[in-house]
Amino acid sequence: MKLSTPPIAPKTLAMLNRLGIETLADLREVGSAKAFLLLKATGCTVTQSTLWQLEALLLGIAATDLSDAQKAALSEQIKQHPPVAVFPTPSEIAEFMQAALQQAEQSAQMGEIPVGAVVVHNGQIIAAAHNTCVHDHNISHHAEIRALARAGAALGNYRLDGCDVYITLEPCAMCASALIQARVKRVIFGAAEPKTGAAGSVLNLFENSLLNKHTAVLGGVLADECRNLLQDFFQKRRN
């Protein structure tokens, strides 16, 4: 069933459609809390009544029939929800991840674990880096840390709240913490890291309610290419 006006306001409905939420099934998949936060992320002016309306649609009732307890539960969901953002188009995301892969290949050529990262600001790459831990004798010289440092120098600010960071491998706890501290807007990574990944594989620092929550995360971008580069590197090392 398609979402319609009424009960959703015309401007809100148009923005939901732009976000790919066109039917009740789409809304159910996303959830009322995330849909509401996505609307806010686009700059759409929405009030709590919009949240009540979205939840009521999922329950098949009128918004006026929501109980105080249901409204309180929704408000708590919003408070505890991980950061939400509207991400660039798939083609743009793929383009920047390719740039990160080029950085990762430089690491491989140096005998370093092939991980690359780029920082994007206003649609332009302002910093790029790759792993140099072995070469620099410095455990902190992961691709993300080096890219953040270069981006900070480029912008003259250690806070990178308007930036996106593309990484070929899910960040570890050290790098995830640095990304959070830098307050980057969005982190997009390629392959998951089942042993040390701190964006959902082992733990998810970006969703930890005890930390400042500023950064939305998207994983699995060009995952096969990113994973193959790592697997080829370790295969050659074993041989």
Side-chain angles (χ1 to χ4, degrees), residues 21-96:
I21 305 171
E22 301 179 356
T23 67
L24 192 58
D26 294 334
L27 179 59
R28 185 165 286 110
E29 184 177 345
V30 173
S32 57
K34 186 174 181 179
F36 178 75
L37 290 170
L38 281 169
L39 286 168
K40 292 187 73 173
T42 65
C44 188
T45 303
V46 288
T47 63
Q48 277 194 321
S49 62
T50 303
L51 177 60
W52 309 152
Q53 185 61 71
L54 293 172
E55 180 67 9
L57 281 168
L58 291 179
L59 296 175
I61 62 176
T64 52
D65 291 336
L66 280 175
S67 67
D68 290 341
Q70 287 172 312
K71 290 179 180 179
L74 278 171
S75 296
E76 186 63 22
Q77 279 185 47
I78 294 296
K79 191 185 300 184
Q80 298 299 327
H81 203 283
V84 165
V86 179
F87 285 86
T89 63
S91 60
E92 186 177 352
I93 288 175
E95 178 184 347
F96 289 128

Side-chain angles (χ1 to χ4, degrees), residues 1 13 18 25 31 51-52 70-71 97 103 109 118 131 148 150 158 174 178 184 200 214-216 218 228 231 238-239:
M1 184 182 79
L13 180 62
R18 238 179 278 174
L51 177 60
W52 309 152
Q70 287 172 312
K71 290 179 180 179
M97 188 59 77
Q103 287 293 316
Q109 290 167 12
V118 298
N131 274 359
L148 289 175
R150 291 180 176 183
Y158 71 98
M174 175 181 71
V184 301
H214 303 284
T215 306
L218 176 66
N228 289 342
Q231 289 175 343
R238 283 191 293 269
N239 292 339

Side-chain angles (χ1 to χ4, degrees), residues 185-208:
K185 184 178 181 181
R186 299 174 293 207
V187 165
I188 299 97
F189 69 85
E193 172 45 276
K195 294 182 179 179
T196 61
S201 289
V202 176
L203 72 162
N204 196 335
L205 290 180
F206 298 97
E207 292 187 2
N208 192 318

Side-chain angles (χ1 to χ4, degrees), residues 93-108:
I93 288 175
E95 178 184 347
F96 289 128
M97 188 59 77
Q98 286 289 356
L101 275 164
Q102 290 173 12
Q103 287 293 316
E105 287 167 357
Q106 292 185 45
S107 283

Side-chain angles (χ1 to χ4, degrees), residues 83-237:
V84 165
V86 179
F87 285 86
T89 63
S91 60
E92 186 177 352
I93 288 175
E95 178 184 347
F96 289 128
M97 188 59 77
Q98 286 289 356
L101 275 164
Q102 290 173 12
Q103 287 293 316
E105 287 167 357
Q106 292 185 45
S107 283
Q109 290 167 12
M110 295 173 62
E112 302 269 358
I113 295 174
V115 180
V118 298
V119 182
V120 177
H121 180 66
N122 290 336
Q124 300 293 324
I125 294 175
I126 60 167
H130 52 82
N131 274 359
T132 58
C133 296
V134 177
H135 181 269
D136 296 342
H137 313 294
N138 190 328
I139 193 60
S140 72
H141 281 198
H142 285 200
E144 302 96 312
I145 302 293
R146 296 183 66 233
L148 289 175
R150 291 180 176 183
L155 295 178
N157 194 339
Y158 71 98
R159 288 275 172 84
L160 305 175
D161 51 296
C163 294
D164 296 339
V165 181
Y166 291 77
I167 316 156
T168 58
L169 183 66
E170 180 182 356
C172 66
M174 175 181 71
C175 294
S177 297
L179 291 160
I180 291 168
Q181 290 295 324
R183 299 192 179 187
V184 301
K185 184 178 181 181
R186 299 174 293 207
V187 165
I188 299 97
F189 69 85
E193 172 45 276
K195 294 182 179 179
T196 61
S201 289
V202 176
L203 72 162
N204 196 335
L205 290 180
F206 298 97
E207 292 187 2
N208 192 318
S209 60
L210 299 176
L211 303 174
N212 290 329
K213 295 190 294 184
H214 303 284
T215 306
V217 179
L218 176 66
V221 175
L222 300 187
D224 289 342
E225 291 182 47
C226 295
R227 190 182 303 109
N228 289 342
L229 183 60
L230 285 158
Q231 289 175 343
D232 289 347
F233 172 80
F234 287 113
Q235 183 64 45
K236 288 175 182 175
R237 175 180 280 187

